[in-house]
Amino acid sequence: MKYQRPKGTADILPGQSYKWEYIENTARKLFSKYRYHEIRTPMFENFNVFSRTSGDTSDIVTKEMYDFNDKGGRHVTLRPEGTAGVVRAFVQNKLYGPDTYKPYKVFYMGPMFRYERPQSGREREFHQIGVEAFGSDLPELDVEVIAMALDLLKQFGIKHVRLALNTLGDEETRDAYRKALIDYLKPHYDELSDDSKERLYKNPLRVLDSKDPKDKQFVADAPSILDYLTDNAKQHFDKVTSLLDALNIDYDIDPSVVRGLDYYNHTIFEIMVKSKSLGKGYTTICAGGRYNELVKQLGGPDMSGVGFGLGVERLLLFMEGENIPFPNLHPLDAYVVGIGDDTDTETFKVVQALRDAGFSADRDYLDKKPRGQFKAANRLNAEYTLTIGGKELASHKINVKSMASGEEVSVPLKDVKDNFNEVIEDSFN
RNA sequence: GCGACCGUGGUGAAGUUGGUUAACACACCUGAUUGUGGAUCUGGCAUGCGUGGGUUCGAGUCCCACCGAUCGCCCCA
């Protein structure tokens, strides 16, 4: 093979792209109901946009970024996630100003890039659908975002999910907890995994979601951040949980949920599903939380945000694994068969008239014989096959055949062009 | 970054200790049926076995490198 697509990328072909279209359409419709509007930001940003916000020690920044110097010597990065770029745009365009209504609610969908080894549910170019809402510190907004994420999965026909919830509290909480965690883990330093040894001082919270059995034995009895919440942080979190209760949304409070990006605080959550298609155990397909420092970090005012990101490839893998059906968005209403060269023009006119009237219609472009044209109609799953031959042409008629029943009627050509719906109604219902 | 496994037509694949014409099936095209689909039968359909080297009289089969797929770990959506 001479040319192959780059490692970790995918060609999404028509046999698959209709599913993407369905997912994107469904998401758009839902976001509209919650009054979130689309924002489109560049696929690449200055390196600093991500390195500053995601955390200099995070794996995403240190080893997974597609960064390079452009011809002008600018250090740029293909975006590894959606939030930082949106926040940058929010700040640069002064959307925090009084001209915009708060909370300022946006959504995005598009490709993200991470230099990793591809495997199930993970590509180097992958896609996320996400939302961000700025300008409200109230826990009510956290709940809206969580409820909307769950609503979205519900729209896709996904029944059983696990909502894992945690809080990182405010700065004071985090400092106190960080200290407590280090104090707890320090005596076991030699017994920790190499990764965790390194993380202990840089970012001890990450030790909590280690899957290494060596670490897990200590994590189980580690102090819980919930015991270190300041009054404010606790109040915020309690409000979130009580609102979730009021909305009949099930959740598990899971202190091991810490998130891979450093900009979160207060509420964080992951929505997980269990499926053989995504390996054993639960896999996170959607995750998010509140970030109160990010806007300020990128040069904006002290304004908070909350959002989530949904992995489209993982969602798709899960839905396919669970045999959740995707609607056929592009059925073929009519295939027009022309018999004999002199019908060619009229055939084209009928096809265009039907398209003009809002039907999907197609015809032969390979000079096939009638039999071949019917085979094509059958293969394309046409609902109706219309036939024009010499006889029909002379009498200004056309044959209309229902492919499902095999029933065929002869009707005036004009009727088909002017009101195909009525022809179908009268002939087949 | 580490590990495992794999790479033959449009697809699913066979290919025996390396041996000369790369099975079989599906799909597709064609004809039986010069104006009618989903059934049956006719005939057709890989100048090449991911790419590049090497070993050999001879390589799809052995060796090396590279590229890519799949699946773990790490990490993450």
Side-chain angles (χ1 to χ4, degrees), chain A residues 202-222:
Chain A
K202 280 190 194 160
N203 194 350
L205 295 208
R206 301 224 37 93
V207 176
L208 292 181
D209 70 347
S210 169
K211 281 158 205 110
D212 194 306
K214 276 192 285 191
D215 301 331
K216 276 191 158 172
Q217 53 176 326
F218 304 118
V219 170
D221 295 318

Side-chain angles (χ1 to χ4, degrees), chain A residues 212-329:
Chain A
D212 194 306
K214 276 192 285 191
D215 301 331
K216 276 191 158 172
Q217 53 176 326
F218 304 118
V219 170
D221 295 318
S224 167
I225 193 165
L226 300 175
D227 297 327
Y228 292 83
L229 297 180
T230 59
D231 287 349
N232 265 344
K234 185 171 180 351
Q235 221 170 47
H236 187 99
F237 193 56
D238 287 346
K239 184 72 181 179
V240 169
T241 55
S242 73
L243 280 171
L244 289 173
D245 290 336
L247 295 175
N248 291 316
I249 293 172
D250 291 329
Y251 55 88
D252 292 337
I253 294 179
D254 183 346
S256 77
V257 171
V258 298
R259 312 291 310 111
L261 301 162
D262 287 354
Y263 50 64
Y264 288 108
N265 46 33
H266 286 291
T267 317
I268 53 175
F269 66 95
E270 298 190 5
I271 299 173
M272 309 175 178
V273 293
K274 207 160 145 180
S275 168
K276 287 176 280 298
S277 62
L278 291 165
K280 47 194 185 298
Y282 280 100
T283 304
T284 301
I285 59 171
C286 179
R290 175 169 278 281
Y291 44 88
N292 287 357
E293 306 299 320
L294 200 44
V295 174
K296 200 163 64 184
Q297 253 184 60
L298 284 173
D302 193 358
M303 189 173 273
S304 62
V306 50
F308 71 72
L310 169 79
V312 180
E313 279 82 357
R314 287 186 182 182
L315 172 69
L316 225 32
L317 226 43
F318 175 72
M319 289 173 72
E320 286 165 353
E322 300 297 293
N323 288 316
I324 294 174
F326 292 84
N328 175 11
L329 300 176

Side-chain angles (χ1 to χ4, degrees), chain A residues 178-194:
Chain A
R178 197 185 123 92
K179 194 170 171 299
L181 196 57
I182 292 175
D183 286 347
Y184 167 78
L185 289 171
K186 216 166 24 183
H188 306 293
Y189 183 82
D190 291 332
E191 300 163 74
L192 292 174
S193 68
D194 291 344

